[in-house]
Amino acid sequence: HDKYGYDPARFESNMLDQFICPICTNVSREPKECVVCGSLFCNSCVTDWLKKKTECPRSRCDLKNNPMRKIGGALARIYNNLDIKCIHPSCKKNYIKLSDLEAHEEKC
């Protein structure tokens, strides 16, 4: 399975824009948030980026003392409740909650 973002075409929601990673242009996987500007990125994308630079990929915020953090609270609940299609074409379920996707796809 891909360590970078999810293909936006797999989602039902029109709320995806706020979850798009500007590095890979997919829906953020294991989202990390810039503590300065609030932009979201895939954990893998931003980890790779920060190996080379110390600034936010979107807004060029200085991240030397303000690293990325995992999303939490209401934003994490919204993200985990996004409806996504299973990767398996033969799956009978239309959509699965993003928080349940990994467990579902292992059994599907």
Side-chain angles (χ1 to χ4, degrees), residues 79-96:
Y79 176 81
N80 287 325
N81 280 312
L82 290 174
D83 290 321
I84 186 169
K85 289 182 182 174
C86 176
I87 198 80
H88 304 291
S90 60
C91 181
K92 302 282 188 256
K93 290 192 171 210
N94 285 335
Y95 289 96
I96 300 109

PDB file of all heavy atoms in Angstrom, residues 79-96:
ATOM      1  N   TYR A  79     -11.721  14.145   9.621  1.00  0.00           N
ATOM      2  CA  TYR A  79     -10.854  13.351   8.741  1.00  0.00           C
ATOM      3  C   TYR A  79     -11.191  11.862   8.845  1.00  0.00           C
ATOM      4  O   TYR A  79     -11.377  11.184   7.833  1.00  0.00           O
ATOM      5  CB  TYR A  79      -9.391  13.610   9.116  1.00  0.00           C
ATOM      6  CG  TYR A  79      -8.405  12.771   8.341  1.00  0.00           C
ATOM      7  CD1 TYR A  79      -8.024  13.131   7.050  1.00  0.00           C
ATOM      8  CD2 TYR A  79      -7.844  11.632   8.896  1.00  0.00           C
ATOM      9  CE1 TYR A  79      -7.119  12.365   6.330  1.00  0.00           C
ATOM     10  CE2 TYR A  79      -6.934  10.861   8.186  1.00  0.00           C
ATOM     11  CZ  TYR A  79      -6.576  11.229   6.906  1.00  0.00           C
ATOM     12  OH  TYR A  79      -5.681  10.467   6.196  1.00  0.00           O
ATOM     13  N   ASN A  80     -11.265  11.337  10.068  1.00  0.00           N
ATOM     14  CA  ASN A  80     -11.528   9.912  10.272  1.00  0.00           C
ATOM     15  C   ASN A  80     -12.906   9.489   9.796  1.00  0.00           C
ATOM     16  O   ASN A  80     -13.125   8.314   9.501  1.00  0.00           O
ATOM     17  CB  ASN A  80     -11.335   9.536  11.742  1.00  0.00           C
ATOM     18  CG  ASN A  80      -9.871   9.510  12.122  1.00  0.00           C
ATOM     19  OD1 ASN A  80      -9.023   9.134  11.328  1.00  0.00           O
ATOM     20  ND2 ASN A  80      -9.571   9.933  13.328  1.00  0.00           N
ATOM     21  N   ASN A  81     -13.845  10.428   9.708  1.00  0.00           N
ATOM     22  CA  ASN A  81     -15.202  10.130   9.263  1.00  0.00           C
ATOM     23  C   ASN A  81     -15.404  10.322   7.761  1.00  0.00           C
ATOM     24  O   ASN A  81     -16.515  10.129   7.267  1.00  0.00           O
ATOM     25  CB  ASN A  81     -16.229  10.954  10.045  1.00  0.00           C
ATOM     26  CG  ASN A  81     -16.497  10.347  11.404  1.00  0.00           C
ATOM     27  OD1 ASN A  81     -16.723   9.154  11.527  1.00  0.00           O
ATOM     28  ND2 ASN A  81     -16.452  11.170  12.438  1.00  0.00           N
ATOM     29  N   LEU A  82     -14.361  10.696   7.023  1.00  0.00           N
ATOM     30  CA  LEU A  82     -14.494  10.794   5.572  1.00  0.00           C
ATOM     31  C   LEU A  82     -14.825   9.419   5.006  1.00  0.00           C
ATOM     32  O   LEU A  82     -14.310   8.404   5.482  1.00  0.00           O
ATOM     33  CB  LEU A  82     -13.190  11.302   4.940  1.00  0.00           C
ATOM     34  CG  LEU A  82     -12.821  12.758   5.193  1.00  0.00           C
ATOM     35  CD1 LEU A  82     -11.432  13.045   4.629  1.00  0.00           C
ATOM     36  CD2 LEU A  82     -13.841  13.703   4.601  1.00  0.00           C
ATOM     37  N   ASP A  83     -15.697   9.385   4.007  1.00  0.00           N
ATOM     38  CA  ASP A  83     -16.077   8.127   3.359  1.00  0.00           C
ATOM     39  C   ASP A  83     -15.178   7.878   2.155  1.00  0.00           C
ATOM     40  O   ASP A  83     -15.065   8.725   1.273  1.00  0.00           O
ATOM     41  CB  ASP A  83     -17.536   8.180   2.903  1.00  0.00           C
ATOM     42  CG  ASP A  83     -18.502   8.147   4.078  1.00  0.00           C
ATOM     43  OD1 ASP A  83     -18.240   7.400   5.041  1.00  0.00           O
ATOM     44  OD2 ASP A  83     -19.514   8.860   4.042  1.00  0.00           O
ATOM     45  N   ILE A  84     -14.553   6.697   2.125  1.00  0.00           N
ATOM     46  CA  ILE A  84     -13.616   6.332   1.061  1.00  0.00           C
ATOM     47  C   ILE A  84     -13.999   4.962   0.495  1.00  0.00           C
ATOM     48  O   ILE A  84     -14.503   4.105   1.217  1.00  0.00           O
ATOM     49  CB  ILE A  84     -12.154   6.316   1.586  1.00  0.00           C
ATOM     50  CG1 ILE A  84     -11.157   6.071   0.453  1.00  0.00           C
ATOM     51  CG2 ILE A  84     -11.980   5.336   2.736  1.00  0.00           C
ATOM     52  CD1 ILE A  84      -9.696   6.297   0.845  1.00  0.00           C
ATOM     53  N   LYS A  85     -13.765   4.783  -0.790  1.00  0.00           N
ATOM     54  CA  LYS A  85     -14.017   3.488  -1.432  1.00  0.00           C
ATOM     55  C   LYS A  85     -12.872   2.532  -1.127  1.00  0.00           C
ATOM     56  O   LYS A  85     -11.707   2.930  -1.110  1.00  0.00           O
ATOM     57  CB  LYS A  85     -14.124   3.655  -2.951  1.00  0.00           C
ATOM     58  CG  LYS A  85     -15.377   4.349  -3.409  1.00  0.00           C
ATOM     59  CD  LYS A  85     -15.415   4.436  -4.926  1.00  0.00           C
ATOM     60  CE  LYS A  85     -16.672   5.177  -5.361  1.00  0.00           C
ATOM     61  NZ  LYS A  85     -16.692   5.415  -6.800  1.00  0.00           N
ATOM     62  N   CYS A  86     -13.216   1.269  -0.948  1.00  0.00           N
ATOM     63  CA  CYS A  86     -12.228   0.212  -0.763  1.00  0.00           C
ATOM     64  C   CYS A  86     -11.381   0.101  -2.040  1.00  0.00           C
ATOM     65  O   CYS A  86     -11.868   0.315  -3.142  1.00  0.00           O
ATOM     66  CB  CYS A  86     -12.950  -1.106  -0.480  1.00  0.00           C
ATOM     67  SG  CYS A  86     -11.849  -2.534  -0.330  1.00  0.00           S
ATOM     68  N   ILE A  87     -10.129  -0.269  -1.874  1.00  0.00           N
ATOM     69  CA  ILE A  87      -9.200  -0.395  -3.008  1.00  0.00           C
ATOM     70  C   ILE A  87      -9.530  -1.617  -3.871  1.00  0.00           C
ATOM     71  O   ILE A  87      -9.160  -1.679  -5.038  1.00  0.00           O
ATOM     72  CB  ILE A  87      -7.733  -0.448  -2.496  1.00  0.00           C
ATOM     73  CG1 ILE A  87      -6.746  -0.143  -3.621  1.00  0.00           C
ATOM     74  CG2 ILE A  87      -7.405  -1.776  -1.851  1.00  0.00           C
ATOM     75  CD1 ILE A  87      -6.599   1.307  -3.913  1.00  0.00           C
ATOM     76  N   HIS A  88     -10.256  -2.582  -3.317  1.00  0.00           N
ATOM     77  CA  HIS A  88     -10.585  -3.818  -4.037  1.00  0.00           C
ATOM     78  C   HIS A  88     -11.842  -3.636  -4.887  1.00  0.00           C
ATOM     79  O   HIS A  88     -12.908  -3.376  -4.349  1.00  0.00           O
ATOM     80  CB  HIS A  88     -10.763  -4.978  -3.056  1.00  0.00           C
ATOM     81  CG  HIS A  88      -9.576  -5.198  -2.173  1.00  0.00           C
ATOM     82  ND1 HIS A  88      -8.376  -5.681  -2.649  1.00  0.00           N
ATOM     83  CD2 HIS A  88      -9.394  -4.981  -0.848  1.00  0.00           C
ATOM     84  CE1 HIS A  88      -7.512  -5.753  -1.654  1.00  0.00           C
ATOM     85  NE2 HIS A  88      -8.100  -5.333  -0.552  1.00  0.00           N
ATOM     86  N   PRO A  89     -11.737  -3.784  -6.209  1.00  0.00           N
ATOM     87  CA  PRO A  89     -12.891  -3.575  -7.106  1.00  0.00           C
ATOM     88  C   PRO A  89     -14.080  -4.487  -6.811  1.00  0.00           C
ATOM     89  O   PRO A  89     -15.213  -4.129  -7.080  1.00  0.00           O
ATOM     90  CB  PRO A  89     -12.333  -3.856  -8.504  1.00  0.00           C
ATOM     91  CG  PRO A  89     -10.859  -3.798  -8.367  1.00  0.00           C
ATOM     92  CD  PRO A  89     -10.532  -4.123  -6.941  1.00  0.00           C
ATOM     93  N   SER A  90     -13.833  -5.657  -6.246  1.00  0.00           N
ATOM     94  CA  SER A  90     -14.927  -6.599  -5.978  1.00  0.00           C
ATOM     95  C   SER A  90     -15.640  -6.335  -4.652  1.00  0.00           C
ATOM     96  O   SER A  90     -16.598  -7.037  -4.323  1.00  0.00           O
ATOM     97  CB  SER A  90     -14.380  -8.028  -5.976  1.00  0.00           C
ATOM     98  OG  SER A  90     -13.393  -8.154  -4.964  1.00  0.00           O
ATOM     99  N   CYS A  91     -15.216  -5.332  -3.908  1.00  0.00           N
ATOM    100  CA  CYS A  91     -15.809  -5.032  -2.598  1.00  0.00           C
ATOM    101  C   CYS A  91     -17.281  -4.656  -2.753  1.00  0.00           C
ATOM    102  O   CYS A  91     -17.649  -3.883  -3.633  1.00  0.00           O
ATOM    103  CB  CYS A  91     -15.054  -3.904  -1.917  1.00  0.00           C
ATOM    104  SG  CYS A  91     -15.704  -3.495  -0.279  1.00  0.00           S
ATOM    105  N   LYS A  92     -18.106  -5.189  -1.878  1.00  0.00           N
ATOM    106  CA  LYS A  92     -19.551  -4.950  -1.933  1.00  0.00           C
ATOM    107  C   LYS A  92     -19.970  -3.668  -1.211  1.00  0.00           C
ATOM    108  O   LYS A  92     -21.069  -3.175  -1.397  1.00  0.00           O
ATOM    109  CB  LYS A  92     -20.306  -6.133  -1.310  1.00  0.00           C
ATOM    110  CG  LYS A  92     -20.020  -7.463  -1.981  1.00  0.00           C
ATOM    111  CD  LYS A  92     -20.785  -7.620  -3.275  1.00  0.00           C
ATOM    112  CE  LYS A  92     -20.664  -9.001  -3.851  1.00  0.00           C
ATOM    113  NZ  LYS A  92     -19.759  -9.097  -4.976  1.00  0.00           N
ATOM    114  N   LYS A  93     -19.091  -3.144  -0.353  1.00  0.00           N
ATOM    115  CA  LYS A  93     -19.428  -1.913   0.379  1.00  0.00           C
ATOM    116  C   LYS A  93     -19.176  -0.712  -0.521  1.00  0.00           C
ATOM    117  O   LYS A  93     -18.170  -0.649  -1.219  1.00  0.00           O
ATOM    118  CB  LYS A  93     -18.583  -1.787   1.647  1.00  0.00           C
ATOM    119  CG  LYS A  93     -18.950  -2.776   2.707  1.00  0.00           C
ATOM    120  CD  LYS A  93     -18.274  -2.390   4.002  1.00  0.00           C
ATOM    121  CE  LYS A  93     -18.817  -3.246   5.120  1.00  0.00           C
ATOM    122  NZ  LYS A  93     -18.797  -2.563   6.385  1.00  0.00           N
ATOM    123  N   ASN A  94     -20.086   0.256  -0.489  1.00  0.00           N
ATOM    124  CA  ASN A  94     -19.877   1.474  -1.282  1.00  0.00           C
ATOM    125  C   ASN A  94     -18.752   2.321  -0.695  1.00  0.00           C
ATOM    126  O   ASN A  94     -17.822   2.686  -1.384  1.00  0.00           O
ATOM    127  CB  ASN A  94     -21.160   2.294  -1.357  1.00  0.00           C
ATOM    128  CG  ASN A  94     -22.174   1.689  -2.292  1.00  0.00           C
ATOM    129  OD1 ASN A  94     -21.811   0.968  -3.208  1.00  0.00           O
ATOM    130  ND2 ASN A  94     -23.434   1.963  -2.054  1.00  0.00           N
ATOM    131  N   TYR A  95     -18.864   2.632   0.587  1.00  0.00           N
ATOM    132  CA  TYR A  95     -17.855   3.467   1.242  1.00  0.00           C
ATOM    133  C   TYR A  95     -17.587   2.943   2.639  1.00  0.00           C
ATOM    134  O   TYR A  95     -18.445   2.345   3.270  1.00  0.00           O
ATOM    135  CB  TYR A  95     -18.322   4.923   1.322  1.00  0.00           C
ATOM    136  CG  TYR A  95     -18.334   5.619  -0.011  1.00  0.00           C
ATOM    137  CD1 TYR A  95     -19.493   5.714  -0.760  1.00  0.00           C
ATOM    138  CD2 TYR A  95     -17.169   6.182  -0.530  1.00  0.00           C
ATOM    139  CE1 TYR A  95     -19.505   6.349  -1.993  1.00  0.00           C
ATOM    140  CE2 TYR A  95     -17.172   6.813  -1.764  1.00  0.00           C
ATOM    141  CZ  TYR A  95     -18.336   6.902  -2.485  1.00  0.00           C
ATOM    142  OH  TYR A  95     -18.328   7.527  -3.698  1.00  0.00           O
ATOM    143  N   ILE A  96     -16.375   3.210   3.114  1.00  0.00           N
ATOM    144  CA  ILE A  96     -15.932   2.845   4.453  1.00  0.00           C
ATOM    145  C   ILE A  96     -15.422   4.126   5.099  1.00  0.00           C
ATOM    146  O   ILE A  96     -14.858   4.990   4.424  1.00  0.00           O
ATOM    147  CB  ILE A  96     -14.774   1.812   4.388  1.00  0.00           C
ATOM    148  CG1 ILE A  96     -15.237   0.545   3.677  1.00  0.00           C
ATOM    149  CG2 ILE A  96     -14.246   1.458   5.759  1.00  0.00           C
ATOM    150  CD1 ILE A  96     -14.612   0.400   2.329  1.00  0.00           C
TER     151      ILE A  96
END
